Amino acid sequence: MTQLMRSWVSSANSDQTPFPLNNLPYGVFSTKGSAPRCGVAIGDMILDMQAAEEAGLVELDEDGAFDLPFWNDVMELGPDVWATLRARLTEMLAEGSTDQAAIEPLLVPQSAVDMHMPILVAEYTDFYAGKHHAMNVGTMFRGPENALPPNWLHIPIGYNGRASSVVVSGTDIVRPNGQTKAPEAELPSFGPCKRLDIELEMGAIVGSSSQLGQPVSVAEADAMIFGYVLLNDWSARDIQAWEYQPLGPFQAKAFATSISPWIVTKPALEPFRASTPEREKELLPYLRESGPMLYDIDLHVTMAPAGGAETVIARTNYNQMYYSAAQQLAHHASSGCAMTAGDLLGSGTISGPTPTERGSLLELTWGGKEPMTLDTGETRTFIEDGDTLTLHGAAMGDGYQIGFGTCTGTILPAKTFPA
């Protein structure tokens, strides 16, 4: 296992920081009175990349790559530039660097910033690629003998979501309105969602584009991925239950998807590669992996009622997925669908084999039939107004961790329609 890389930024050398020199995740931040701009997290500080470029400390193939407040321009320069940039950042921030005096004035305390969306999301696709989640949900609705759809063990199932609804961690989420129908009701009704849920996911950010009509291999897809974020695909279960046949989720998923503010790049995660599980059905050649494509990333979810302490409600790991992001991307492009720098792929809900590893309230409370008790003494089946849900994640190394920051959102009451 890779050891901690030491930095002259002292806070980066703690085993408690999510942002050691081994990590160097990418985000967008602003300070009071300043416009948003790209930054790199190191310990409890952020390196201002626009200022570093202007000072001549960082030079990329394209001048002004950090002029705009998102990482898309850097992504579009390609993997060779990504590698060059990471090497230069590591050189500047490493213990003993001759650049320390020039870099120190460009560091901003994380405690003094607001975080923003790290990319302009081009397109958003969400998958249904965790077997434990699919088995749990399928068992609830169809019974254990028909839990998985016939295609599930052969392809990573997905649907196209709304890029316009992807928001950064810390953005409040308004409870959606929608049309629902109770089983005993003759007609549907319209109003606020009553079964609001989360989905604990990882998001893969596509950094390289592909051509329309041109498929890509799993290995090529892996090389196209710029990095990963935590992702919460908020879900209105009652709205979904009425609308999803025959075309799948629509309004039940369109109202919000939250992501963590820091993009953790593939090189930072390289020591934590993990294999997908043994296949129950052999995959077709275009989906077969050339090596480990998942990652060993510990994940947990907390819930805090308004004014109350948070409770850990689930713990699991990204290595529980049945399909990797590279397989999902390869399948997405297999029809000739053009992939674009800035595309976001949601992994699907990440659940493990035990009840405490379930990545949604739908599973944790078994469809609302088994309420859970929070540390405050309150009970929940689904999310109530004022509740704050937070996703946490880190890959645990030898004396260090590779963290993502948190992915959090607080639920606000539904909007009322004008009379």
Side-chain angles (χ1 to χ4, degrees):
M1 180 65 72
T2 305
Q3 301 290 313
L4 171 70
M5 300 167 61
R6 298 193 65 83
S7 170
W8 54 262
V9 181
S10 59
S11 61
N13 299 324
S14 166
D15 61 3
Q16 298 301 305
T17 180
F19 308 128
L21 186 61
N22 305 61
N23 193 348
L24 301 179
Y26 302 151
V28 171
F29 74 100
S30 65
T31 54
K32 187 175 182 180
S34 76
R37 54 202 187 277
C38 293
V40 176
I42 177 73
D44 58 6
M45 307 296 286
I46 299 175
L47 172 59
D48 184 331
M49 292 305 297
Q50 185 179 41
E53 185 180 47
E54 290 173 352
L57 294 164
V58 174
E59 295 181 359
L60 301 182
D61 290 354
E62 178 181 301
D63 291 338
F66 294 108
D67 285 350
L68 297 175
F70 41 76
W71 283 83
N72 296 57
D73 286 4
V74 175
M75 291 191 294
E76 290 175 357
L77 295 177
D80 289 344
V81 173
W82 307 346
T84 299
L85 174 61
R86 181 175 175 83
R88 177 58 179 147
L89 289 168
T90 302
E91 177 188 37
M92 291 191 300
L93 294 166
E95 196 170 61
S97 171
T98 58
D99 294 303
Q100 179 175 347
I103 291 291
E104 276 186 306
L106 310 183
L107 294 178
V108 180
Q110 291 185 31
S111 59
V113 309
D114 292 318
M115 298 302 297
H116 305 271
M117 282 289 295
I119 61 168
L120 290 177
V121 179
E123 307 280 357
Y124 167 52
T125 302
D126 192 44
F127 286 86
Y128 184 58
K131 185 168 183 285
H132 298 294
H133 172 70
M135 284 294 298
N136 287 335
V137 174
T139 298
M140 265 183 260
F141 296 120
R142 294 183 297 274
E145 65 284 349
N146 295 309
L148 294 179
N151 59 354
W152 201 94
L153 293 171
H154 299 276
I155 60 173
I157 299 171
Y159 68 92
N160 291 316
R162 292 287 301 174
S164 62
S165 300
V166 180
V167 297
V168 74
S169 172
T171 304
D172 292 336
I173 306 300
V174 177
R175 181 178 296 273
N177 288 296
Q179 189 177 122
T180 61
K181 183 180 179 297
E184 68 280 0
E186 181 180 352
L187 296 173
S189 60
F190 185 87
C193 165
K194 296 177 182 177
R195 293 164 66 90
L196 185 59
D197 200 358
I198 62 162
E199 289 191 341
L200 167 60
E201 303 190 27
M202 297 293 299
I205 295 173
V206 178
S208 298
S209 300
S210 66
Q211 297 298 314
L212 182 67
Q214 179 62 52
V216 300
S217 69
V218 174
E220 289 171 329
D222 185 61
M224 290 169 63
I225 295 173
F226 183 65
Y228 292 81
V229 293
L230 302 176
L231 185 148
N232 181 355
D233 189 38
W234 302 91
S235 299
R237 301 296 186 188
D238 46 354
I239 297 172
Q240 184 176 356
W242 174 235
E243 75 175 6
Y244 83 102
Q245 295 192 39
L247 296 180
F250 183 38
Q251 296 294 70
K253 302 285 191 145
F255 62 98
T257 299
S258 299
I259 65 170
S260 53
W262 295 106
I263 303 169
V264 176
T265 62
K266 281 210 315 291
L269 293 171
E270 197 62 32
F272 306 95
R273 289 266 187 179
S275 297
T276 49
E278 185 177 347
R279 300 298 160 181
E280 297 177 38
K281 302 283 187 181
E282 186 175 6
L283 294 176
L284 295 177
Y286 81 99
L287 282 175
R288 294 175 193 163
E289 299 162 300
S290 57
M293 296 288 179
L294 282 180
Y295 298 97
D296 180 0
I297 301 172
D298 288 338
L299 302 165
H300 69 276
V301 182
T302 59
M303 173 184 273
E310 65 180 16
T311 299
V312 176
I313 61 173
R315 293 186 183 275
T316 188
N317 193 293
Y318 184 45
N319 63 17
Q320 294 294 324
M321 297 303 295
Y322 195 81
Y323 295 99
S324 67
Q327 288 174 308
Q328 293 169 345
L329 178 53
H331 180 65
H332 207 324
S334 64
S335 65
C337 172
M339 307 306 297
T340 304
D343 282 353
L344 175 65
L345 307 182
S347 64
T349 305
I350 306 166
S351 296
T354 68
T356 59
E357 296 176 83
R358 295 170 178 169
S360 67
L361 274 72
L362 179 67
E363 297 167 86
L364 287 165
T365 69
W366 209 250
K369 296 176 181 178
E370 301 172 6
M372 61 184 183
T373 301
L374 305 180
D375 292 347
T376 59
E378 298 171 68
T379 60
R380 291 289 187 275
T381 51
F382 291 95
I383 305 171
E384 297 185 6
D385 291 347
D387 288 347
T388 298
L389 279 298
T390 305
L391 314 185
H392 310 253
M396 305 306 294
D398 183 5
Y400 72 98
Q401 56 180 295
I402 302 297
F404 290 77
T406 57
C407 179
T408 188
T410 299
I411 300 303
L412 303 182
K415 300 290 187 180
T416 58
F417 278 69

